[in-house]
Amino acid sequence: MSAAPVVSPALSGAMTTKEAAAYIGMSPATLNGWRFMGEGPVYLRMGTSRRAKIAYLREDLDAWLRARRTDPASVLADA
């Protein structure tokens, strides 16, 4: 009988790329492209290989979304 993997409490709510993409309303391909280009939300990389597991924390996604809020009045003022 094998023991269940130990998961850090900090990672217990981590999302896959597919889950994170759904959460922010984007496609997994968009998140993958952003990671490749050094853009998009903060993510976790578990390992150093190209096939390392990628995960996103909800609080990081929320912070990324909050940082993109735009006041429509400020857009008109800049025009």
Side-chain angles (χ1 to χ4, degrees):
M1 187 161 102
S2 64
V6 176
V7 177
S8 165
L11 298 179
S12 63
M15 294 184 236
T16 64
T17 298
K18 184 176 179 180
E19 293 166 334
Y23 184 77
I24 65 169
M26 297 292 180
S27 73
T30 296
L31 281 180
N32 291 336
W34 284 344
R35 275 197 320 272
F36 179 77
M37 296 176 359
E39 299 175 8
V42 173
Y43 62 93
L44 302 168
R45 179 184 216 69
M46 275 73 79
T48 57
S49 75
R50 289 183 52 206
R51 296 192 180 268
K53 181 176 175 155
I54 301 295
Y56 293 84
L57 299 178
R58 183 178 310 273
E59 57 263 28
D60 291 334
L61 297 172
D62 289 340
W64 184 82
L65 288 168
R66 276 192 306 278
R68 273 139 194 82
R69 291 178 65 195
T70 302
D71 179 359
S74 68
V75 173
L76 291 176
D78 292 341

